[in-house]
Amino acid sequence: MEDDLALYRPDAWFRAARGPRYEQLYRHLSAAIAAGELPPEAQLPPERELALIADVSRVTVRKAVSQLVEDGVLEQRRGAGTFVRPPKSKIEQSLSALLSFTDYMRQRGKTSSSRIMRRGLFLPSPDEMMALGLPPGERVARVDRLRFADDTPLALEWSSLPTDVLPDPEAVETSLYDVLRASGKAPTRAVQRITAVNLTAVDAKLLLLAEGAAVLRIDRTAYLPSGRPIEFTRGLYRSDIYDFIAELRLDAP
């Protein structure tokens, strides 16, 4: 019992000058849930008891727990208490098929939607110039989106395209590839690089995760049948509910 309570004691989570106590407690509990220290169906101590153990006010506990409930990792059951919610079932996507986020969600019977963070025409970055083969001074079309499946935020995507391929970024609402198909400029091949990264505070808030949580970053360059690169997308995907699957075959000798 004492070992269980040690997770909530101040020396386990509080550090001076690291932000308000409720934010530190929130981040600590979120990390403990992600790491399995608080497994699914684990019950938190009652609010009053938790405040005593953590040496904080009940208001501090209430704010931290409320944020975790809003994030969907805790649930409060009337008359029973506060429990760690079972993890959401993961979405598996094959790396061998070139499908847009919207197309894949359609296949899975899920409703996809997007929140546009930014879109317009801009001077390209060095990464965009290299990936898309743009000459100096040419502008690039950008569409930055927070992607949802059934109202759950799954990914952040920053997409860049040559302006002759996407002259009007305002035309993109949910599916970029729907817009490209309508103009006959959808890619048929892509190269992807996958790495693991930790979320910044800004991106974590958008994805309803704790700051520093590990996610998958995918840089994708997509090509027309002619071999011309026409899309560079950098995406952050929630690794807690998103899996990428690759099928490997033994080449014939």
Side-chain angles (χ1 to χ4, degrees):
M1 182 64 176
E2 284 299 314
D3 289 343
D4 294 337
L5 297 181
L7 180 68
Y8 307 107
R9 298 193 188 284
D11 57 0
W13 61 269
F14 177 70
R15 300 293 182 271
R18 293 288 182 88
R21 281 175 167 78
Y22 80 89
E23 286 188 358
Q24 292 194 49
L25 182 58
Y26 159 73
R27 292 196 299 267
H28 173 68
L29 293 177
S30 182
I33 293 169
E37 295 178 72
L38 282 172
E41 297 298 338
Q43 183 176 8
L44 269 63
E47 181 182 286
R48 182 177 181 180
E49 181 181 340
L50 182 51
L52 289 172
I53 298 167
D55 194 22
V56 294
S57 70
R58 294 179 66 174
V59 172
T60 295
V61 169
R62 193 174 304 131
K63 289 178 71 173
V65 169
S66 294
Q67 184 61 58
L68 290 164
V69 171
E70 184 176 328
D71 290 352
V73 296
L74 291 181
E75 63 178 337
Q76 294 173 317
R77 301 172 187 169
R78 186 180 298 275
T82 303
F83 296 81
V84 177
R85 295 187 64 178
K88 298 181 177 70
S89 58
K90 287 203 170 188
I91 296 172
E92 295 184 352
Q93 179 167 341
S94 171
L95 290 173
S96 61
L98 179 55
L99 287 175
S100 71
F101 181 93
T102 302
D103 290 336
Y104 194 77
M105 294 307 154
R106 285 171 183 158
Q107 286 189 359
R108 292 293 180 272
K110 295 182 179 292
T111 301
S112 65
S113 59
S114 298
R115 180 193 304 169
I116 302 294
M117 312 300 291
R118 180 181 64 167
R119 58 187 169 187
L121 302 178
F122 303 88
L123 289 175
S125 68
D127 283 349
E128 291 167 330
M129 290 178 65
M130 182 176 296
L132 298 173
L134 299 175
E138 183 169 326
R139 292 192 296 175
V140 67
R142 290 187 193 145
V143 181
D144 303 342
R145 294 165 293 169
L146 176 61
R147 314 303 303 274
F148 295 82
D150 292 343
D151 299 323
T152 298
L154 292 189
L156 280 163
E157 291 183 336
W158 298 269
S159 298
S160 306
L161 300 93
T163 54
D164 65 311
V165 174
L166 183 65
D168 181 17
E170 298 288 334
V172 179
E173 293 295 340
T174 296
S175 175
L176 169 63
Y177 277 28
D178 280 354
V179 174
L180 296 180
R181 278 192 287 263
S183 63
K185 296 176 181 177
T188 58
R189 180 177 69 89
V191 175
Q192 298 188 137
R193 181 182 298 273
I194 303 174
T195 55
V197 298
N198 299 105
L199 286 174
T200 64
V202 172
D203 293 339
K205 186 174 182 180
L206 291 170
L207 291 172
L208 301 183
L209 294 173
E211 180 181 354
V215 294
L216 298 172
R217 190 184 91 179
I218 298 182
D219 289 354
R220 179 178 71 246
T221 304
Y223 301 82
L224 292 176
S226 65
R228 180 192 176 190
I230 55 97
E231 177 211 359
F232 175 65
T233 291
R234 174 163 291 165
L236 298 178
Y237 300 87
R238 287 182 55 165
S239 57
D240 60 328
I241 52 179
Y242 217 109
D243 273 346
F244 290 91
I245 308 298
E247 180 181 356
L248 306 179
R249 297 178 182 272
L250 180 65
D251 288 339

